[in-house]
């Protein structure tokens, strides 16, 4: 997941312009962290990956061929340890899901769980999300893109690393079907405000919030409540959901 960035200090104080390049050498929206792998995670990578894993080398996908059917298609960017995505795929067998995550333990965990639950409507990339969107997913092929709790990069000097930037949003719009949605959630209010600023300036989107709650929406039932989020709610911490629909 590579948000674009200007190198000048001014670029750290707000989102970039829509013409900024998506790939700028050395700036990423994520940091790869080393982590111990459990037996189950290793099993997922070794035994399940050959069946459910995808790479950039696989090229542009025909999603009907990939899943063997025509169905609604949802992409989740940065699924972490995968609990939310697995739950959605199990709840909605009529929908096909593609998860994108760079951290190996999370990918292994997701694959292990998907196999144990017998899920056939889920595929996984362990790649940069921008590269997957650009190189592998066809235009106007997705019904929804989900971006739940991305790294907020709270320090001002790191704002250029935030994945939600105008160029990234424009790329997502090109991959959504008309009427498709971009659903974001964050527990950092300042990042929620940033997301809203980027989306309100983006062309081709309509906010799905009501006048009473705009620019945010209540957490929809289809987004599972994470353990982290449930603990935060008990402590009075806020979570902000934003849903925008592609209108052209």
């Amino acid at each position: 997941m590579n948000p674009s960035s200007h190198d000048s200090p001014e670029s750290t104080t707000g989102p970039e312009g829509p013409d900024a390049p998506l790939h700028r050498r050395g700036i990423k929206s994520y940091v790869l962290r080393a982590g111990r792998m459990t037996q189950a995670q290793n099993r997922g990578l070794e035994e399940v990956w050959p069946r459910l894993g995808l790479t950039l080398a696989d090229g542009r996908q025909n999603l009907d061929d990939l899943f063997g059917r025509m169905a609604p298609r949802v992409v989740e960017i940065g699924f972490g340890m995968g609990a939310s995505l697995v739950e959605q795929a199990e709840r909605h067998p009529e929908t096909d899901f593609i998860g994108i995550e760079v951290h190996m333990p999370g990918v292994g965990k997701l694959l292990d769980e998907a196999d144990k639950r017998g899920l056939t409507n889920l595929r996984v990339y362990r790649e940069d999300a921008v590269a997957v969107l650009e190189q592998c997913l066809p235009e106007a092929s997705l019904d929804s893109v989900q971006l739940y709790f991305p790294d907020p990069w709270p320090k001002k000097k790191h704002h250029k690393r935030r994945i939600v930037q105008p160029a990234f949003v424009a790329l997502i719009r090109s991959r959504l079907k008309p009427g498709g949605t971009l659903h974001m959630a964050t527990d950092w209010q300042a990042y929620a405000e940033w997301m809203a600023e980027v989306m309100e300036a983006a062309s081709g989107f309509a906010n799905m919030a009501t006048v009473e709650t705009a620019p945010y929406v209540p957490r929809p039932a289809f987004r599972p409540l994470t353990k982290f989020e449930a603990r935060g709610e008990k402590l009075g911490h806020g979570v902000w959901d934003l849903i925008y629909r592609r209108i052209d």
Side-chain angles (χ1 to χ4, degrees):
M1 294 174 283
N2 293 52
S4 53
S5 168
H6 290 302
D7 294 328
S8 63
E10 288 77 13
S11 70
T12 65
T13 61
E16 292 193 332
D19 297 326
L22 279 166
H23 291 283
R24 186 180 294 277
R25 188 177 301 277
I27 295 179
K28 293 182 180 292
S29 66
Y30 58 86
V31 173
L32 286 174
R33 300 178 179 89
R36 292 184 178 180
M37 298 286 292
T38 66
Q39 184 177 356
Q41 290 164 358
N42 279 317
R43 174 188 172 274
L45 291 170
E46 293 169 4
E47 299 182 18
V48 188
W49 174 266
R51 180 160 47 88
L52 300 184
L54 299 167
T55 70
L56 297 180
D58 295 322
R60 184 82 65 191
Q61 296 288 343
N62 179 312
L63 299 183
D64 290 347
D65 290 344
L66 178 65
F67 288 98
R69 64 177 182 176
M70 296 179 64
R73 304 274 153 65
V74 176
V75 166
E76 182 165 332
I77 296 172
F79 56 74
M81 298 305 289
S84 170
L85 184 54
V86 165
E87 183 175 339
Q88 290 181 80
E90 189 170 43
R91 279 189 195 173
H92 302 285
E94 76 285 354
T95 299
D96 295 329
F97 293 85
I98 298 174
I100 307 173
E101 176 59 64
V102 295
H103 296 285
M104 192 176 295
V107 173
K109 175 68 171 176
L110 175 80
L111 291 169
D112 180 62
E113 284 294 325
D115 183 60
K116 288 176 177 176
R117 302 184 191 201
L119 301 180
T120 60
N121 60 333
L122 178 61
R123 300 292 185 274
V124 182
Y125 282 96
R126 185 174 175 256
E127 305 278 4
D128 179 282
V130 168
V132 172
L133 289 166
E134 288 182 333
Q135 300 176 35
C136 303
L137 301 180
E139 294 187 2
S141 64
L142 305 177
D143 293 88
S144 182
V145 173
Q146 300 175 166
L147 182 65
Y148 297 157
F149 305 100
D151 194 325
W153 294 104
K155 293 182 180 179
K156 186 176 291 187
K157 67 179 180 179
H158 291 151
H159 286 183
K160 60 191 174 184
R161 293 183 178 271
R162 289 176 169 175
I163 192 170
V164 179
Q165 303 281 353
F168 178 74
V169 168
L171 175 60
I172 288 179
R173 176 180 169 274
S174 72
R175 269 50 187 172
L176 288 172
K177 299 175 182 177
T181 57
L182 169 58
H183 180 194
M184 299 176 287
T186 180
D187 57 344
W188 283 77
Q189 185 174 4
Y191 199 8
E193 293 168 354
W194 170 291
M195 291 173 171
E197 178 185 347
V198 171
M199 294 305 300
E200 292 304 320
S203 62
F205 282 99
N207 192 332
M208 300 299 290
T210 64
V211 174
E212 291 77 18
T213 65
Y216 311 114
V217 299
R219 180 182 67 85
F222 60 79
R223 181 173 75 74
L225 185 69
T226 67
K227 293 181 180 178
F228 170 80
E229 188 179 354
R231 287 197 302 268
E233 283 189 351
K234 291 180 180 178
L235 296 172
H237 298 170
V239 171
W240 293 266
D241 283 76
L242 301 95
I243 300 181
Y244 288 82
R245 178 170 55 87
R246 179 181 171 179
I247 56 175
D248 61 17

